[in-house]
Amino acid sequence: METYRGFKARARRKRNRILLIEAGLAVLIVALLFGILYTMVKMIHGEPVIEWPVASTIVQEEQQEQTPVQTQPVEAEEWDTNVPSERTINTDLQLTADARMLALPANGKLSTEYFRTALFIGDSLTQGFGLYQPTSDVAIVHAYKSISPKFILDGGTAKNYNGVEEVTKDAIAAEKPDNIYLLLGTNAVLAQEDDAFLHYYGELMDWLRETFPNVPIYVQSITPVTAEEEIAKPRLANDHLRQLNDQIAKMAVERGFYFVNVQEALVDDNGYLRADYVGTYDGIHMVPAGYAAWADYLLRHTAYSKYNSQFVEEGPYNG
């Protein structure tokens, strides 16, 4: 009897092993069929059968490092318009090639009294704000002939527009303005390579922020020249100046400054300095009519603040 029961137990165990093996084979067959079906679907849709996420990510990163950002060049005839461009700031400033897209838009108009506590910093072009109406009686001007950003940073001594000789850096730092307007470049572009000029211009911006931590700072575009001046001084070619203005606009906005595209107020239909604004000295400097148009443009392109709002003269003034 015991032998018979042992035989039955062994037979039962054998059947269980056979069933287990059959079940395993069935699972393998189903998985194989599923794999074949999956592969056929991928192939039909033209998709890779096996994806390697890590390798794919590495390739994408390498491609991004090796491929420079491509930007669409801005043609000269398209750059300056009579209508200010809307300010649209891309979160990645390196992708924004056109300075107009970073420029401060029109925002009502303030009275010239606004300039009474505004500080203008620059070279001989900025001297006109101290010499001509409507700003000569109100604006604070520290502007010196033939200077560069590096000259101010080095604490160079020069004569202001009124003939007073002063240490440029100290004279500027002593002021207590409510708004600051900065424009340099014409002389520096002639004397330096672009990289050097932009480097020191950026350092000057940083110094101004440290010196005037709570004051709004407006960085103006380099102004245009005449066609004749462009031929005489190729470094001042308007296409070249516009490329520099693209870089200056990004530098300004990155630092929390405002960029003002004053070229819009000063160019003719061909992108050159308007003939009725050109002075007799060269194709760079301007007559009083040019400064009047320039000042009017600045008064129409200011950032809203409670302080500025007291000077509103025309139109809506929006924050």
Side-chain angles (χ1 to χ4, degrees):
M1 181 66 66
E2 290 294 326
T3 301
Y4 176 75
R5 282 199 298 268
F7 173 80
K8 288 184 66 176
R10 285 194 300 272
R12 190 165 50 250
R13 287 196 294 270
K14 184 177 180 181
R15 284 196 304 271
N16 289 341
R17 285 196 297 270
I18 293 173
L19 289 174
L20 184 60
I21 293 171
E22 289 176 347
L25 289 173
V27 170
L28 289 175
I29 292 171
V30 170
L32 180 61
L33 291 174
F34 179 83
I36 294 171
L37 180 62
Y38 174 83
T39 301
M40 291 176 62
V41 171
K42 284 283 188 176
M43 294 176 65
I44 290 172
H45 288 83
E47 299 177 1
V49 176
I50 300 176
E51 297 182 2
W52 304 97
V54 176
S56 176
T57 301
I58 293 173
V59 170
Q60 290 175 2
E61 291 176 351
E62 290 177 349
Q63 289 176 344
Q64 289 173 357
E65 292 175 356
Q66 295 172 4
T67 305
V69 176
Q70 300 295 323
T71 57
Q72 184 67 28
V74 182
E75 299 296 335
E77 61 270 17
E78 298 176 356
W79 210 92
D80 294 293
T81 65
N82 292 326
V83 181
S85 300
E86 181 180 357
R87 189 187 195 206
T88 55
I89 300 180
N90 194 309
T91 53
D92 184 356
L93 297 178
Q94 297 302 319
L95 299 180
T96 305
D98 190 337
R100 296 173 305 168
M101 297 298 101
L102 297 177
L104 197 64
N107 190 24
K109 181 186 177 183
L110 307 186
S111 71
T112 53
E113 283 298 304
Y114 161 80
F115 288 133
R116 194 168 293 281
T117 58
L119 170 61
F120 284 81
I121 302 170
D123 53 24
S124 56
L125 275 166
T126 299
Q127 288 187 334
F129 285 97
L131 298 171
Y132 306 126
Q133 293 292 339
T135 55
S136 59
D137 296 333
V138 292
I140 306 166
V141 179
H142 286 283
Y144 318 91
K145 289 184 179 180
S146 304
I147 67 162
S148 66
K150 187 176 186 300
F151 186 91
I152 296 177
L153 288 168
D154 290 343
T157 299
K159 288 184 178 180
N160 199 0
Y161 76 97
N162 54 10
V164 176
E165 191 169 62
E166 56 192 29
V167 178
T168 55
K169 194 173 185 181
D170 293 346
I172 292 169
E175 299 292 352
K176 298 185 183 300
D178 289 297
N179 292 281
I180 294 175
Y181 286 88
L182 175 65
L183 171 58
L184 288 165
T186 305
N187 300 287
V189 170
L190 291 173
Q192 297 176 316
E193 294 298 320
D194 293 352
D195 289 346
F197 160 63
L198 293 171
H199 170 76
Y200 289 115
Y201 208 1
E203 286 197 350
L204 179 61
M205 292 182 196
D206 293 336
W207 176 77
L208 286 172
R209 175 49 69 222
E210 293 173 4
T211 307
F212 304 97
N214 300 312
V215 179
I217 298 176
Y218 297 80
V219 179
Q220 304 170 86
S221 61
I222 302 175
T223 55
V225 301
T226 62
E228 294 75 16
E229 196 70 23
E230 183 177 73
I231 295 173
K233 297 182 175 71
R235 289 279 297 165
L236 297 183
N238 285 301
D239 282 347
H240 181 217
L241 295 183
R242 282 186 281 268
Q243 292 172 9
L244 288 174
N245 283 332
D246 290 341
Q247 298 299 317
I248 292 169
K250 288 187 285 188
M251 289 166 56
V253 174
E254 286 170 347
R255 288 166 170 79
F257 297 175
Y258 299 104
F259 178 76
V260 188
N261 183 27
V262 299
Q263 285 217 4
E264 287 185 327
L266 304 175
V267 296
D268 60 20
D269 292 339
N270 295 315
Y272 294 103
L273 180 61
R274 282 178 48 159
D276 52 335
Y277 293 166
V278 180
T280 57
Y281 178 68
D282 57 21
I284 301 172
H285 296 85
M286 288 175 278
V287 295
Y291 284 94
W294 187 347
D296 183 76
Y297 185 88
L298 295 181
L299 291 173
R300 296 179 186 275
H301 293 76
T302 59
Y304 176 85
S305 72
K306 185 177 180 180
Y307 174 82
N308 292 352
S309 64
Q310 66 183 304
F311 302 108
V312 175
E313 188 174 75
E314 296 178 14
Y317 193 59
N318 303 314

